[in-house]
Amino acid sequence: MNSIRPSDTALTDWRRAALRFEAEIAKAVIGQDRAIRLVTIAIFARGHVLLEGDVGVGKTTLLRAVARALGGAYERVEGTVDMMPADLITHTYLAEDGRPRIEPGPVLRRSDDLSVFFFNEINRARPQVHSLLLRLMAERSVQAFNREYRFPHLQVFADRNRVEREETFELPAAARDRFLMEIGMEAPADPALRRRLAFDPLFHDTDALVAGIAPDVIDQASVAGIAAALQHGIHASPALEEYVVRLWSAIREPDRAGIALPDVAMDALVQGGASPRGIAFLIRAARVRAWLEGRDRLLPEDLRAVFPETMAHRIFLEPVYEMRRESIVPALCRAVLDTVPAP
């Protein structure tokens, strides 16, 4: 394995490219440094992402900027209650001669080059559509037109409508667990940044913003190889491995870890979650974070930096507490990190 890994010099060069990538994205999406860092981690951890945030905070702009800096194709679909799986794969229309035509749809148009696929308001679409999307995420391939389409560079980003509840279909637990992270985006709190967003005409023209980003900052064809090298090249001490095991136990059985939250029966709070896949995703993301910080060894702060985004959406509460999820789960994540002693 060592013989095919990039050299230390190559990984250093790639780190410079990743930091430049973040700087380019920040030109178009201001006040979102944490979201940009987490998206960068997701890219090099080869994971799919749920985006959480109000309408108009810049999710689409962020993803268009990411696709331009990656040098790949970008596609976006809008979830609707009448959407069917075929709508992702095919595009049916009437040609000029009045006859129906079927062409590749949004997923297939540029399959070899597709790097960012954004499913807006995924909970508007029916479970049948979710199933196709999950297969695409897991296998990065799909069968259509009597052939197999492969998506070697694909990363799926999805967000949910969190205002309307009618005619929505929430993602089941197994579907949420397929996403590496759920990343929150809120409007910047800094008054100066808010003033720029409100009064600077540059931020009123998304096309101009995205066009101002340097293209092809990262060679997307090489990302998978670099990502694999990072997972082998960033090491963890036995003490840190034990720390991760204790975090895992605490998030699954917080009552046994001595964690208490107001007005919550801790022994009847967590129904499930924090699966082996989820913990593996936590380590993958933490290793990329360590690399971006210029280290070849994991530290507790690497885990803490990505813990809420990798674990919160895969913690499943008992139904009596699910309506309070937005307050309970973040509090639980904070309590776990505060309670479990770091090495």
Side-chain angles (χ1 to χ4, degrees):
M1 186 71 182
N2 289 333
S3 62
I4 64 173
R5 290 183 202 162
S7 66
D8 291 342
T9 300
L11 288 177
T12 300
D13 291 342
W14 266 89
R15 177 175 175 269
R16 293 195 190 100
L19 296 178
R20 184 184 167 214
F21 171 85
E22 292 182 329
E24 289 294 326
I25 303 303
K27 294 178 182 177
V29 187
I30 62 172
Q32 300 290 353
D33 291 348
R34 178 168 175 77
I36 293 170
R37 169 52 59 95
L38 290 169
V39 167
T40 305
I41 290 173
I43 288 170
F44 285 96
R46 306 302 295 146
H48 308 290
V49 172
L50 285 167
L51 292 172
E52 182 76 13
D54 290 330
V55 174
V57 296
K59 297 188 292 291
T60 301
T61 303
L62 170 65
L63 296 182
R64 287 184 61 187
V66 165
R68 180 170 173 82
L70 272 175
Y74 166 84
E75 289 285 351
R76 167 178 166 157
V77 298
E78 300 288 334
T80 61
V81 69
D82 61 345
M83 174 179 278
M84 298 300 291
D87 296 328
L88 296 179
I89 303 300
T90 62
H91 171 57
T92 305
Y93 67 100
L94 289 177
E96 293 181 357
D97 61 5
R99 295 181 179 181
R101 295 285 189 274
I102 299 178
E103 292 184 350
V107 170
L108 302 185
R109 286 188 193 116
R110 297 178 63 184
S111 62
D112 293 341
D113 193 41
L114 184 59
S115 62
V116 175
F117 182 72
F118 181 25
F119 201 123
N120 193 37
E121 297 196 353
I122 189 173
N123 58 335
R124 288 273 191 209
R126 293 180 178 274
Q128 300 96 314
V129 179
H130 298 165
S131 296
L132 176 61
L133 187 68
L134 289 176
R135 177 188 168 180
L136 184 64
M137 291 164 55
E139 301 178 10
R140 288 189 166 93
S141 68
V142 71
Q143 294 281 345
F145 297 102
N146 297 317
R147 56 163 288 196
E148 182 181 48
Y149 288 80
R150 301 198 65 81
F151 306 84
H153 316 302
L154 174 70
Q155 286 188 270
V156 172
F157 295 80
D159 80 340
R160 291 173 288 176
N161 183 315
R162 64 180 189 180
V163 178
E164 289 91 7
R165 295 294 182 182
E166 295 182 359
E167 295 188 332
T168 60
F169 304 86
E170 287 301 329
L171 290 173
R176 285 157 57 186
D177 194 57
R178 296 282 181 176
F179 287 89
L180 170 71
M181 290 184 181
E182 182 171 48
I183 299 173
M185 288 185 67
E186 302 293 342
D190 185 279
L193 293 179
R194 290 191 169 195
R195 201 173 299 120
R196 284 188 67 193
L197 289 171
F199 290 99
D200 188 340
L202 175 63
F203 295 102
H204 304 168
D205 187 343
T206 301
D207 291 339
L209 276 175
V210 174
I213 293 173
D216 306 336
V217 175
I218 294 175
D219 175 17
Q220 68 164 347
S222 302
V223 168
I226 296 299
L230 292 178
Q231 295 306 312
H232 290 283
I234 306 299
H235 306 290
S237 67
L240 190 127
E241 291 179 359
E242 179 61 30
Y243 177 55
V244 171
V245 172
R246 292 198 303 269
L247 289 175
W248 190 359
S249 298
I251 205 71
R252 289 185 62 87
E253 299 177 304
D255 56 318
R256 293 191 177 185
I259 295 170
L261 298 177
D263 302 319
V264 174
M266 300 305 297
D267 60 343
L269 173 63
V270 177
Q271 188 179 68
S275 65
R277 176 168 53 206
I279 293 298
F281 278 166
L282 171 67
I283 302 305
R284 285 167 64 117
R287 281 176 168 149
V288 177
R289 198 263 182 183
W291 169 67
L292 290 172
E293 294 293 321
R295 287 182 274 101
D296 65 355
R297 186 166 296 276
L298 277 176
L299 297 180
E301 50 259 43
D302 297 316
L303 297 160
R304 298 169 70 92
V306 297
F307 189 85
E309 285 78 14
T310 55
M311 300 309 298
H313 66 287
R314 49 176 49 93
I315 298 171
F316 310 115
L317 307 181
E318 293 290 345
V320 68
Y321 294 113
E322 191 61 38
M323 291 299 293
R324 295 167 55 194
R325 178 180 188 85
E326 289 189 6
S327 61
I328 288 178
V329 172
L332 176 61
C333 288
R334 288 193 298 270
V336 167
L337 293 176
D338 290 343
T339 302
V340 178

